[in-house]
Structures are given as C-alpha cells and as structure tokens.
Amino acid sequence: VYCFLCFRFYASLPPISKAYGTICLLATTAFQLGLYHPAYIALIYELVFKHFQVWRLITNFFFLGKFSINFGIRLLMIARYGVQLEKGPFERRTADFLWMMIFGALTLLVLSAVPGLESPFLGISLVFMLLYVWSREFPNANINIYGLVTLKAFYLPWAMLALDVIFGSPFGPDLLGILAGHLYYFLTVLHPLAGGKNMLRTPYWVHKLVAKWRIGAPAANTHAAPADRATGVAFSGRSYRLNQ
C-alpha cells in the first residue's frame, strides 16, 4: 500500500519539477554506487572550450552532492517549491516554467565564469533560484523552520543561506541562485509592473518543444507569447511548514 501511495504521489507531480528531481536523485545514486566520478560531469570551462566537453554545461546541474541531510533538503526543496510553482503560478504554463529553468541555468553559467564566483556544480544554485522565485510568488506564506522560528516566505532564501553559513556549508552557490532568481523575477515581473516591457518572454521554440513532447497540460495557445503576469500575490491564509 505504501509503495502504491508513493507511486501515485510521484505520478501526480508536474513534469518539469519531477524530471529535474528524478535526474538529480539518479545522479547521486549512481555516484554512491561508484558508477562515475563527479569530476567527469563538473563544470570546468577549460575542458569545455579546449577539449569540447560540452556536456559539462548541462550535467553539472544534476549533482546535488552525496547522500546526506543537505542532499535530502535540496531534493525536498525541488519537490516542494518547484512543484508549488509549477502547480500554482505556472499552472498550464509548462513552457514558461521550462524557460525559467533554462534562463536560470544560462544565468548561472555566466555568473560562474566570473572570477571569484566559480562553482563546479550549479545544481544547488538552480534549486535556490526556484526557492527565491517561490518566495516572491508567495511572500506572505508562513514558514516554520525546525519548529523554532516562524517567518514570512519572502525571507526564506536568506534564512536558508544563513543556516548554511552557520552549519559550515559554502554560501556561494546559494547566493548565485538568489542572484539568478532575482534577475528572472525583475525582468518578468517587477520591470513590467513598473511600466516596462517584459524582456524575457518565453521563446517560440520552447513552446514548440513542449508541444512536440506533449509535456504537461496543453496551453490555450502554444503559438502566442504569454501575456505579462502580475505575480507576487500574497496568500496570507496559507501556511507552509518546512520540516528539515
């Protein structure tokens, strides 16, 4: 019965978050089984450009570290915040959600090329980007951390960054994800709300890709660019509990 319930829960997850979380889990499982060494998938620009190992530009996003509490927390963040975004503000907008992930990955690749911001694995940063966008979409949701502190979701990315500092984890990947998330949110929400133009509309090829692969629920019109959205709505009546 338990396995059946787990299967039903897994099947109910939206496609992009489910695919990303599954690949991350499989990547760590394969590592724990000794099937590969992380150095073969790490982001090393010298190997990318001099030896044409272009797969590193993608594979580095799928490694969240070895099995540990931190790995479980990152996977939980995908399963919670990624899923809530995909089922909430991005409902029936699979192409837009996929484009957000692609834009975030491209932004992180650029940021990690800056001296002092290098990171061989950007999976944690991409997860933090999801967390940041979620915190802006649900700013007034109540978050309980460890049963000790309750705070608004708007402050959650910074609280998680502070916890990583306290527990001795590198905060660089967290900060990169926050920067990428803020850039996306500024270009797609804040700037249009201030009267500017949405400069980050989902490209047609992403809509076509989603339609061709039949990913998610079909949109009303996959050939038209999505309208500007006024997001960041506060859902003050809902409370989300973070069990870590």
Side-chain angles (χ1 to χ4, degrees):
V1 176
Y2 179 76
C3 292
F4 176 73
L5 292 176
C6 289
F7 175 78
R8 289 192 61 182
F9 169 75
Y10 179 79
S12 70
L13 297 176
I16 306 301
S17 299
K18 177 167 64 175
Y20 183 58
T22 300
I23 295 174
C24 290
L25 178 60
L26 292 176
T28 294
T29 302
F31 163 70
Q32 294 291 150
L33 294 175
L35 300 181
Y36 74 96
H37 192 280
Y40 293 118
I41 65 171
L43 178 62
I44 304 174
Y45 279 110
E46 182 179 1
L47 296 178
V48 171
F49 293 112
K50 290 186 176 181
H51 299 277
F52 303 104
Q53 298 181 5
V54 294
W55 67 82
R56 296 177 180 273
L57 297 174
I58 300 175
T59 55
N60 78 92
F61 287 102
F62 301 135
F63 186 71
L64 300 179
K66 62 182 181 180
F67 284 135
S68 63
I69 294 178
N70 283 336
F71 170 79
I73 291 174
R74 305 311 181 201
L75 207 60
L76 177 63
M77 289 166 68
I78 298 173
R80 174 163 296 187
Y81 306 119
V83 168
Q84 286 180 2
L85 278 176
E86 203 169 348
K87 284 187 173 182
F90 288 89
E91 186 177 12
R92 300 188 68 85
R93 297 173 55 225
T94 303
D96 295 337
F97 188 82
L98 177 59
W99 174 240
M100 180 188 71
M101 297 284 287
I102 294 173
F103 174 80
L106 294 174
T107 301
L108 291 170
L109 289 174
V110 173
L111 290 175
S112 65
V114 177
L117 297 179
E118 301 94 340
S119 179
F121 300 102
L122 295 171
I124 292 176
S125 300
L126 191 59
V127 172
F128 249 80
M129 179 197 170
L130 289 174
L131 173 63
Y132 182 86
V133 175
W134 178 87
S135 73
R136 299 305 299 264
E137 295 285 356
F138 303 94
N140 289 334
N142 294 316
I143 301 296
N144 188 288
I145 302 179
Y146 296 122
L148 300 175
V149 179
T150 300
L151 71 163
K152 296 297 183 182
F154 183 85
Y155 304 104
L156 182 59
W158 304 103
M160 295 294 290
L161 187 150
L163 286 175
D164 279 345
V165 172
I166 292 173
F167 292 121
S169 300
F171 68 90
D174 302 358
L175 187 59
L176 286 179
I178 290 174
L179 291 175
H182 183 73
L183 178 61
Y184 172 82
Y185 198 78
F186 174 80
L187 293 176
T188 60
V189 178
L190 299 182
H191 184 62
L193 286 178
K197 182 180 180 181
N198 185 348
M199 299 177 289
L200 204 63
R201 288 183 179 274
T202 303
Y204 171 69
W205 64 266
V206 179
H207 285 283
K208 190 173 182 179
L209 182 67
V210 168
K212 181 178 180 180
W213 289 359
R214 299 182 180 179
I215 303 173
N221 185 359
T222 58
H223 297 283
D228 293 339
R229 56 192 179 94
T231 51
V233 180
F235 291 86
S236 57
R238 301 182 66 179
S239 175
Y240 299 93
R241 182 180 181 85
L242 181 63
N243 298 313
Q244 298 182 349

